[in-house]
Amino acid sequence: VQLQASGGGSVQPGGSLRLSCVASGSIFSVNGMGWYRQNPGQKRDLVAMVTATGTNSGAEKYGDSVKGRFTVSRDFDNHMVFLQMHDLKPEDTGVYYCYADLEVLVSGTGWVPSEHWGQGTQVTVSS
């Protein structure tokens, strides 16, 4: 399974960016997908997540610092997640990693849940 993220770049404060991520491989279904952010020497923090299963299907979760400015959306039929970012601030700068909780095919075992990370895409907010 591979996760390919795109859409990062440099933008001035107050600007907007849209990130996209697609998962490929032997995927049966998506349990949830989302985005985390990390800066050098710091831990990877949740930016936004959307689930696909259970009673919380479609539920969205956001990091406190991005609420009201970022919106996560999904196309789980095509194993995709998006992050629309508005009113970007310098503190939004970082490497954004796509995350996916998937049901994948494991040879000899069948479909099992597993977590995956993309390669990261840089977002820089600076004047």
Side-chain angles (χ1 to χ4, degrees):
V1 173
Q2 290 187 330
L3 270 60
Q4 182 66 46
S6 60
S10 295
V11 64
Q12 293 186 340
S16 299
L17 284 173
R18 178 179 168 86
L19 305 184
S20 300
C21 177
V22 58
S24 60
S26 298
I27 301 168
F28 176 70
S29 64
V30 178
N31 297 322
M33 293 183 74
W35 299 90
Y36 284 73
R37 178 173 65 213
Q38 188 173 28
N39 283 300
Q42 298 182 12
K43 67 181 181 69
R44 197 170 291 186
D45 290 326
L46 173 70
V47 176
M49 182 72 63
V50 58
T51 60
T53 58
T55 57
N56 290 325
S57 179
E60 301 170 8
K61 183 177 181 180
Y62 295 93
D64 288 341
S65 67
V66 307
K67 288 179 180 177
R69 300 186 297 120
F70 291 11
T71 302
V72 63
S73 60
R74 61 176 180 165
D75 177 5
F76 284 167
D77 288 342
N78 291 299
H79 310 147
M80 299 186 72
V81 67
F82 309 92
L83 184 68
Q84 181 66 55
M85 303 183 289
H86 293 300
D87 189 22
L88 282 159
K89 305 176 185 298
E91 52 264 40
D92 295 320
T93 294
V95 178
Y96 283 68
Y97 292 92
C98 178
Y99 164 86
D101 179 1
L102 308 171
E103 297 286 328
V104 301
L105 181 62
V106 175
S107 179
T109 301
W111 298 105
V112 298
S114 65
E115 298 179 327
H116 303 268
W117 293 93
Q119 83 285 4
T121 184
Q122 177 71 43
V123 171
T124 302
V125 185
S126 174
S127 56

